PDB file of all heavy atoms in Angstrom:
ATOM      1  N   GLY P   5      -6.721  56.324  33.493  1.00 97.00           N
ATOM      2  CA  GLY P   5      -7.758  55.462  34.059  1.00 97.00           C
ATOM      3  C   GLY P   5      -9.099  55.689  33.380  1.00 97.00           C
ATOM      4  O   GLY P   5      -9.822  54.735  33.075  1.00 97.00           O
ATOM      5  N   LEU P   6      -9.422  56.948  33.121  1.00 96.00           N
ATOM      6  CA  LEU P   6     -10.658  57.269  32.401  1.00 96.00           C
ATOM      7  C   LEU P   6     -10.601  56.768  30.958  1.00 96.00           C
ATOM      8  O   LEU P   6     -11.590  56.264  30.419  1.00 96.00           O
ATOM      9  CB  LEU P   6     -10.909  58.778  32.419  1.00 96.00           C
ATOM     10  CG  LEU P   6     -11.207  59.398  33.777  1.00 96.00           C
ATOM     11  CD1 LEU P   6     -11.221  60.921  33.674  1.00 96.00           C
ATOM     12  CD2 LEU P   6     -12.532  58.881  34.317  1.00 96.00           C
ATOM     13  N   LEU P   7      -9.440  56.896  30.342  1.00 97.00           N
ATOM     14  CA  LEU P   7      -9.269  56.455  28.958  1.00 97.00           C
ATOM     15  C   LEU P   7      -9.398  54.941  28.841  1.00 97.00           C
ATOM     16  O   LEU P   7     -10.088  54.431  27.967  1.00 97.00           O
ATOM     17  CB  LEU P   7      -7.902  56.913  28.427  1.00 97.00           C
ATOM     18  CG  LEU P   7      -7.536  56.446  27.018  1.00 97.00           C
ATOM     19  CD1 LEU P   7      -8.505  57.035  25.987  1.00 97.00           C
ATOM     20  CD2 LEU P   7      -6.098  56.832  26.707  1.00 97.00           C
ATOM     21  N   ILE P   8      -8.760  54.225  29.752  1.00 97.00           N
ATOM     22  CA  ILE P   8      -8.768  52.762  29.700  1.00 97.00           C
ATOM     23  C   ILE P   8     -10.132  52.216  30.107  1.00 97.00           C
ATOM     24  O   ILE P   8     -10.642  51.283  29.492  1.00 97.00           O
ATOM     25  CB  ILE P   8      -7.655  52.184  30.596  1.00 97.00           C
ATOM     26  CG1 ILE P   8      -6.282  52.544  30.025  1.00 97.00           C
ATOM     27  CG2 ILE P   8      -7.818  50.671  30.747  1.00 97.00           C
ATOM     28  CD1 ILE P   8      -5.116  52.264  30.956  1.00 97.00           C
ATOM     29  N   ALA P   9     -10.721  52.821  31.132  1.00 94.00           N
ATOM     30  CA  ALA P   9     -12.033  52.391  31.667  1.00 94.00           C
ATOM     31  C   ALA P   9     -12.028  50.883  31.891  1.00 94.00           C
ATOM     32  O   ALA P   9     -11.211  50.392  32.657  1.00 94.00           O
ATOM     33  CB  ALA P   9     -13.153  52.856  30.764  1.00 94.00           C
ATOM     34  N   ASP P  10     -12.895  50.168  31.220  1.00 93.00           N
ATOM     35  CA  ASP P  10     -12.988  48.718  31.433  1.00 93.00           C
ATOM     36  C   ASP P  10     -12.400  47.914  30.272  1.00 93.00           C
ATOM     37  O   ASP P  10     -12.653  46.724  30.152  1.00 93.00           O
ATOM     38  CB  ASP P  10     -14.440  48.308  31.678  1.00 93.00           C
ATOM     39  CG  ASP P  10     -15.358  48.681  30.524  1.00 93.00           C
ATOM     40  OD1 ASP P  10     -14.900  49.326  29.557  1.00 93.00           O
ATOM     41  OD2 ASP P  10     -16.551  48.329  30.594  1.00 93.00           O
ATOM     42  N   ARG P  11     -11.615  48.563  29.411  1.00 95.00           N
ATOM     43  CA  ARG P  11     -11.002  47.833  28.288  1.00 95.00           C
ATOM     44  C   ARG P  11      -9.863  46.972  28.809  1.00 95.00           C
ATOM     45  O   ARG P  11      -8.938  47.486  29.434  1.00 95.00           O
ATOM     46  CB  ARG P  11     -10.469  48.798  27.232  1.00 95.00           C
ATOM     47  CG  ARG P  11     -11.551  49.597  26.541  1.00 95.00           C
ATOM     48  CD  ARG P  11     -10.992  50.462  25.410  1.00 95.00           C
ATOM     49  NE  ARG P  11     -10.051  51.456  25.920  1.00 95.00           N
ATOM     50  CZ  ARG P  11      -8.952  51.850  25.269  1.00 95.00           C
ATOM     51  NH1 ARG P  11      -8.624  51.328  24.116  1.00 95.00           N
ATOM     52  NH2 ARG P  11      -8.168  52.779  25.795  1.00 95.00           N
ATOM     53  N   PRO P  12      -9.879  45.676  28.556  1.00 94.00           N
ATOM     54  CA  PRO P  12      -8.825  44.802  29.069  1.00 94.00           C
ATOM     55  C   PRO P  12      -7.545  44.806  28.227  1.00 94.00           C
ATOM     56  O   PRO P  12      -6.470  44.495  28.720  1.00 94.00           O
ATOM     57  CB  PRO P  12      -9.470  43.420  29.052  1.00 94.00           C
ATOM     58  CG  PRO P  12     -10.451  43.499  27.925  1.00 94.00           C
ATOM     59  CD  PRO P  12     -10.964  44.921  27.939  1.00 94.00           C
ATOM     60  N   ALA P  13      -7.660  45.165  26.961  1.00 94.00           N
ATOM     61  CA  ALA P  13      -6.505  45.114  26.055  1.00 94.00           C
ATOM     62  C   ALA P  13      -6.787  46.008  24.859  1.00 94.00           C
ATOM     63  O   ALA P  13      -7.879  46.555  24.714  1.00 94.00           O
ATOM     64  CB  ALA P  13      -6.263  43.676  25.602  1.00 94.00           C
ATOM     65  N   GLY P  14      -5.784  46.141  24.023  1.00 95.00           N
ATOM     66  CA  GLY P  14      -5.923  46.930  22.806  1.00 95.00           C
ATOM     67  C   GLY P  14      -5.078  48.174  22.857  1.00 95.00           C
ATOM     68  O   GLY P  14      -4.334  48.409  23.816  1.00 95.00           O
ATOM     69  N   PRO P  15      -5.176  48.994  21.812  1.00 96.00           N
ATOM     70  CA  PRO P  15      -4.377  50.219  21.774  1.00 96.00           C
ATOM     71  C   PRO P  15      -4.798  51.180  22.882  1.00 96.00           C
ATOM     72  O   PRO P  15      -5.990  51.340  23.153  1.00 96.00           O
ATOM     73  CB  PRO P  15      -4.672  50.803  20.388  1.00 96.00           C
ATOM     74  CG  PRO P  15      -5.879  50.115  19.893  1.00 96.00           C
ATOM     75  CD  PRO P  15      -6.013  48.828  20.633  1.00 96.00           C
ATOM     76  N   LEU P  16      -3.826  51.795  23.523  1.00 97.00           N
ATOM     77  CA  LEU P  16      -4.118  52.730  24.605  1.00 97.00           C
ATOM     78  C   LEU P  16      -4.859  53.949  24.072  1.00 97.00           C
ATOM     79  O   LEU P  16      -5.895  54.322  24.593  1.00 97.00           O
ATOM     80  CB  LEU P  16      -2.817  53.159  25.297  1.00 97.00           C
ATOM     81  CG  LEU P  16      -2.972  54.162  26.432  1.00 97.00           C
ATOM     82  CD1 LEU P  16      -3.817  53.584  27.565  1.00 97.00           C
ATOM     83  CD2 LEU P  16      -1.611  54.602  26.948  1.00 97.00           C
ATOM     84  N   PHE P  17      -4.321  54.552  23.044  1.00 97.00           N
ATOM     85  CA  PHE P  17      -4.912  55.766  22.485  1.00 97.00           C
ATOM     86  C   PHE P  17      -5.828  55.375  21.332  1.00 97.00           C
ATOM     87  O   PHE P  17      -5.395  55.291  20.184  1.00 97.00           O
ATOM     88  CB  PHE P  17      -3.826  56.750  22.047  1.00 97.00           C
ATOM     89  CG  PHE P  17      -2.974  57.207  23.177  1.00 97.00           C
ATOM     90  CD1 PHE P  17      -1.685  56.724  23.337  1.00 97.00           C
ATOM     91  CD2 PHE P  17      -3.460  58.100  24.118  1.00 97.00           C
ATOM     92  CE1 PHE P  17      -0.895  57.136  24.400  1.00 97.00           C
ATOM     93  CE2 PHE P  17      -2.683  58.518  25.185  1.00 97.00           C
ATOM     94  CZ  PHE P  17      -1.395  58.031  25.324  1.00 97.00           C
ATOM     95  N   ALA P  18      -7.074  55.121  21.672  1.00 96.00           N
ATOM     96  CA  ALA P  18      -8.043  54.657  20.683  1.00 96.00           C
ATOM     97  C   ALA P  18      -9.340  55.446  20.797  1.00 96.00           C
ATOM     98  O   ALA P  18      -9.726  55.860  21.881  1.00 96.00           O
ATOM     99  CB  ALA P  18      -8.324  53.169  20.889  1.00 96.00           C
ATOM    100  N   VAL P  19      -9.982  55.612  19.660  1.00 93.00           N
ATOM    101  CA  VAL P  19     -11.303  56.219  19.587  1.00 93.00           C
ATOM    102  C   VAL P  19     -12.186  55.225  18.848  1.00 93.00           C
ATOM    103  O   VAL P  19     -11.840  54.780  17.757  1.00 93.00           O
ATOM    104  CB  VAL P  19     -11.274  57.581  18.848  1.00 93.00           C
ATOM    105  CG1 VAL P  19     -12.675  58.121  18.656  1.00 93.00           C
ATOM    106  CG2 VAL P  19     -10.409  58.582  19.596  1.00 93.00           C
ATOM    107  N   ASP P  20     -13.284  54.846  19.487  1.00 90.00           N
ATOM    108  CA  ASP P  20     -14.198  53.856  18.918  1.00 90.00           C
ATOM    109  C   ASP P  20     -13.477  52.551  18.565  1.00 90.00           C
ATOM    110  O   ASP P  20     -13.742  51.946  17.531  1.00 90.00           O
ATOM    111  CB  ASP P  20     -14.919  54.423  17.683  1.00 90.00           C
ATOM    112  CG  ASP P  20     -15.788  55.621  18.022  1.00 90.00           C
ATOM    113  OD1 ASP P  20     -16.353  55.640  19.144  1.00 90.00           O
ATOM    114  OD2 ASP P  20     -15.894  56.533  17.188  1.00 90.00           O
ATOM    115  N   GLY P  21     -12.540  52.158  19.425  1.00 88.00           N
ATOM    116  CA  GLY P  21     -11.833  50.892  19.250  1.00 88.00           C
ATOM    117  C   GLY P  21     -10.701  50.912  18.242  1.00 88.00           C
ATOM    118  O   GLY P  21     -10.022  49.909  18.050  1.00 88.00           O
ATOM    119  N   ARG P  22     -10.468  52.041  17.614  1.00 94.00           N
ATOM    120  CA  ARG P  22      -9.403  52.145  16.603  1.00 94.00           C
ATOM    121  C   ARG P  22      -8.284  53.037  17.114  1.00 94.00           C
ATOM    122  O   ARG P  22      -8.534  54.136  17.626  1.00 94.00           O
ATOM    123  CB  ARG P  22      -9.960  52.705  15.305  1.00 94.00           C
ATOM    124  CG  ARG P  22     -11.046  51.811  14.696  1.00 94.00           C
ATOM    125  CD  ARG P  22     -11.470  52.376  13.385  1.00 94.00           C
ATOM    126  NE  ARG P  22     -10.291  52.556  12.563  1.00 94.00           N
ATOM    127  CZ  ARG P  22     -10.157  52.094  11.337  1.00 94.00           C
ATOM    128  NH1 ARG P  22     -11.130  51.454  10.775  1.00 94.00           N
ATOM    129  NH2 ARG P  22      -9.053  52.300  10.651  1.00 94.00           N
ATOM    130  N   ALA P  23      -7.049  52.549  16.955  1.00 96.00           N
ATOM    131  CA  ALA P  23      -5.882  53.316  17.391  1.00 96.00           C
ATOM    132  C   ALA P  23      -5.814  54.648  16.650  1.00 96.00           C
ATOM    133  O   ALA P  23      -6.127  54.733  15.461  1.00 96.00           O
ATOM    134  CB  ALA P  23      -4.605  52.519  17.130  1.00 96.00           C
ATOM    135  N   LEU P  24      -5.426  55.686  17.387  1.00 97.00           N
ATOM    136  CA  LEU P  24      -5.217  56.988  16.756  1.00 97.00           C
ATOM    137  C   LEU P  24      -4.088  56.897  15.745  1.00 97.00           C
ATOM    138  O   LEU P  24      -3.057  56.270  16.006  1.00 97.00           O
ATOM    139  CB  LEU P  24      -4.847  58.043  17.792  1.00 97.00           C
ATOM    140  CG  LEU P  24      -5.900  58.502  18.775  1.00 97.00           C
ATOM    141  CD1 LEU P  24      -5.313  59.569  19.701  1.00 97.00           C
ATOM    142  CD2 LEU P  24      -7.124  59.028  18.069  1.00 97.00           C
ATOM    143  N   SER P  25      -4.263  57.565  14.635  1.00 96.00           N
ATOM    144  CA  SER P  25      -3.189  57.655  13.639  1.00 96.00           C
ATOM    145  C   SER P  25      -2.460  58.979  13.826  1.00 96.00           C
ATOM    146  O   SER P  25      -2.983  59.918  14.443  1.00 96.00           O
ATOM    147  CB  SER P  25      -3.771  57.583  12.220  1.00 96.00           C
ATOM    148  OG  SER P  25      -4.512  58.764  11.938  1.00 96.00           O
ATOM    149  N   TRP P  26      -1.271  59.041  13.274  1.00 95.00           N
ATOM    150  CA  TRP P  26      -0.489  60.274  13.301  1.00 95.00           C
ATOM    151  C   TRP P  26      -1.312  61.415  12.702  1.00 95.00           C
ATOM    152  O   TRP P  26      -1.345  62.524  13.240  1.00 95.00           O
ATOM    153  CB  TRP P  26       0.810  60.058  12.522  1.00 95.00           C
ATOM    154  CG  TRP P  26       1.646  61.281  12.399  1.00 95.00           C
ATOM    155  CD1 TRP P  26       1.700  62.137  11.338  1.00 95.00           C
ATOM    156  CD2 TRP P  26       2.528  61.814  13.382  1.00 95.00           C
ATOM    157  NE1 TRP P  26       2.563  63.160  11.595  1.00 95.00           N
ATOM    158  CE2 TRP P  26       3.097  62.978  12.842  1.00 95.00           C
ATOM    159  CE3 TRP P  26       2.895  61.414  14.656  1.00 95.00           C
ATOM    160  CZ2 TRP P  26       4.013  63.748  13.541  1.00 95.00           C
ATOM    161  CZ3 TRP P  26       3.816  62.195  15.345  1.00 95.00           C
ATOM    162  CH2 TRP P  26       4.362  63.340  14.793  1.00 95.00           C
ATOM    163  N   GLU P  27      -1.991  61.139  11.593  1.00 97.00           N
ATOM    164  CA  GLU P  27      -2.783  62.158  10.925  1.00 97.00           C
ATOM    165  C   GLU P  27      -3.916  62.667  11.818  1.00 97.00           C
ATOM    166  O   GLU P  27      -4.191  63.870  11.860  1.00 97.00           O
ATOM    167  CB  GLU P  27      -3.357  61.621   9.602  1.00 97.00           C
ATOM    168  CG  GLU P  27      -2.304  61.369   8.545  1.00 97.00           C
ATOM    169  CD  GLU P  27      -1.517  60.074   8.753  1.00 97.00           C
ATOM    170  OE1 GLU P  27      -1.981  59.177   9.518  1.00 97.00           O
ATOM    171  OE2 GLU P  27      -0.424  59.954   8.177  1.00 97.00           O
ATOM    172  N   GLN P  28      -4.602  61.766  12.520  1.00 97.00           N
ATOM    173  CA  GLN P  28      -5.678  62.183  13.423  1.00 97.00           C
ATOM    174  C   GLN P  28      -5.137  63.064  14.543  1.00 97.00           C
ATOM    175  O   GLN P  28      -5.772  64.047  14.935  1.00 97.00           O
ATOM    176  CB  GLN P  28      -6.366  60.965  14.038  1.00 97.00           C
ATOM    177  CG  GLN P  28      -7.220  60.178  13.091  1.00 97.00           C
ATOM    178  CD  GLN P  28      -7.689  58.896  13.741  1.00 97.00           C
ATOM    179  OE1 GLN P  28      -6.882  58.098  14.228  1.00 97.00           O
ATOM    180  NE2 GLN P  28      -8.992  58.698  13.751  1.00 97.00           N
ATOM    181  N   VAL P  29      -3.979  62.695  15.069  1.00 97.00           N
ATOM    182  CA  VAL P  29      -3.363  63.462  16.155  1.00 97.00           C
ATOM    183  C   VAL P  29      -3.034  64.872  15.677  1.00 97.00           C
ATOM    184  O   VAL P  29      -3.352  65.864  16.343  1.00 97.00           O
ATOM    185  CB  VAL P  29      -2.099  62.743  16.675  1.00 97.00           C
ATOM    186  CG1 VAL P  29      -1.299  63.630  17.606  1.00 97.00           C
ATOM    187  CG2 VAL P  29      -2.477  61.433  17.346  1.00 97.00           C
ATOM    188  N   MET P  30      -2.419  64.959  14.508  1.00 96.00           N
ATOM    189  CA  MET P  30      -2.047  66.269  13.958  1.00 96.00           C
ATOM    190  C   MET P  30      -3.294  67.111  13.681  1.00 96.00           C
ATOM    191  O   MET P  30      -3.343  68.286  14.013  1.00 96.00           O
ATOM    192  CB  MET P  30      -1.238  66.086  12.668  1.00 96.00           C
ATOM    193  CG  MET P  30       0.042  65.302  12.861  1.00 96.00           C
ATOM    194  SD  MET P  30       1.268  66.211  13.787  1.00 96.00           S
ATOM    195  CE  MET P  30       1.863  67.286  12.520  1.00 96.00           C
ATOM    196  N   GLN P  31      -4.312  66.504  13.076  1.00 97.00           N
ATOM    197  CA  GLN P  31      -5.527  67.226  12.720  1.00 97.00           C
ATOM    198  C   GLN P  31      -6.264  67.734  13.954  1.00 97.00           C
ATOM    199  O   GLN P  31      -6.710  68.880  14.001  1.00 97.00           O
ATOM    200  CB  GLN P  31      -6.448  66.329  11.901  1.00 97.00           C
ATOM    201  CG  GLN P  31      -7.740  67.010  11.518  1.00 97.00           C
ATOM    202  CD  GLN P  31      -8.658  66.109  10.715  1.00 97.00           C
ATOM    203  OE1 GLN P  31      -8.309  65.002  10.349  1.00 97.00           O
ATOM    204  NE2 GLN P  31      -9.852  66.609  10.447  1.00 97.00           N
ATOM    205  N   THR P  32      -6.394  66.899  14.974  1.00 97.00           N
ATOM    206  CA  THR P  32      -7.139  67.301  16.171  1.00 97.00           C
ATOM    207  C   THR P  32      -6.421  68.431  16.909  1.00 97.00           C
ATOM    208  O   THR P  32      -7.064  69.380  17.359  1.00 97.00           O
ATOM    209  CB  THR P  32      -7.374  66.092  17.089  1.00 97.00           C
ATOM    210  OG1 THR P  32      -8.105  65.110  16.353  1.00 97.00           O
ATOM    211  CG2 THR P  32      -8.161  66.483  18.325  1.00 97.00           C
ATOM    212  N   ALA P  33      -5.109  68.335  17.024  1.00 97.00           N
ATOM    213  CA  ALA P  33      -4.363  69.424  17.664  1.00 97.00           C
ATOM    214  C   ALA P  33      -4.526  70.711  16.851  1.00 97.00           C
ATOM    215  O   ALA P  33      -4.773  71.785  17.413  1.00 97.00           O
ATOM    216  CB  ALA P  33      -2.890  69.048  17.795  1.00 97.00           C
ATOM    217  N   ASP P  34      -4.431  70.578  15.539  1.00 96.00           N
ATOM    218  CA  ASP P  34      -4.581  71.743  14.662  1.00 96.00           C
ATOM    219  C   ASP P  34      -5.970  72.363  14.798  1.00 96.00           C
ATOM    220  O   ASP P  34      -6.113  73.588  14.796  1.00 96.00           O
ATOM    221  CB  ASP P  34      -4.312  71.333  13.212  1.00 96.00           C
ATOM    222  CG  ASP P  34      -4.250  72.527  12.284  1.00 96.00           C
ATOM    223  OD1 ASP P  34      -3.463  73.453  12.552  1.00 96.00           O
ATOM    224  OD2 ASP P  34      -5.007  72.529  11.286  1.00 96.00           O
ATOM    225  N   GLU P  35      -6.993  71.536  14.937  1.00 97.00           N
ATOM    226  CA  GLU P  35      -8.356  72.048  15.114  1.00 97.00           C
ATOM    227  C   GLU P  35      -8.491  72.874  16.391  1.00 97.00           C
ATOM    228  O   GLU P  35      -9.350  73.749  16.482  1.00 97.00           O
ATOM    229  CB  GLU P  35      -9.358  70.890  15.148  1.00 97.00           C
ATOM    230  CG  GLU P  35      -9.570  70.239  13.799  1.00 97.00           C
ATOM    231  CD  GLU P  35     -10.357  68.951  13.880  1.00 97.00           C
ATOM    232  OE1 GLU P  35     -10.711  68.492  15.001  1.00 97.00           O
ATOM    233  OE2 GLU P  35     -10.614  68.362  12.812  1.00 97.00           O
ATOM    234  N   GLN P  36      -7.618  72.599  17.366  1.00 96.00           N
ATOM    235  CA  GLN P  36      -7.634  73.365  18.619  1.00 96.00           C
ATOM    236  C   GLN P  36      -6.699  74.567  18.552  1.00 96.00           C
ATOM    237  O   GLN P  36      -6.512  75.278  19.539  1.00 96.00           O
ATOM    238  CB  GLN P  36      -7.244  72.460  19.795  1.00 96.00           C
ATOM    239  CG  GLN P  36      -8.188  71.303  19.999  1.00 96.00           C
ATOM    240  CD  GLN P  36      -9.633  71.750  20.148  1.00 96.00           C
ATOM    241  OE1 GLN P  36      -9.929  72.692  20.870  1.00 96.00           O
ATOM    242  NE2 GLN P  36     -10.540  71.078  19.449  1.00 96.00           N
ATOM    243  N   GLY P  37      -6.080  74.766  17.379  1.00 95.00           N
ATOM    244  CA  GLY P  37      -5.231  75.937  17.167  1.00 95.00           C
ATOM    245  C   GLY P  37      -3.780  75.752  17.542  1.00 95.00           C
ATOM    246  O   GLY P  37      -3.060  76.740  17.707  1.00 95.00           O
TER     247      GLY P  37
END
């Protein structure tokens, strides 16, 4: 609910309106160890 907020459509997992890529997911998890 917090992620979707008031967005009516589009990719669920998005940052700044752009869908997360596999590479972003891997990098962010890796940055957290």
Side-chain angles (χ1 to χ4, degrees):
L6 294 171
L7 176 64
I8 293 169
D10 59 356
R11 295 185 297 144
L16 179 62
F17 298 105
V19 174
D20 297 326
R22 299 184 54 128
L24 290 181
S25 69
W26 176 262
E27 292 78 18
Q28 288 172 305
V29 169
M30 300 290 282
Q31 179 181 355
T32 301
D34 188 54
E35 288 170 357
Q36 299 305 315

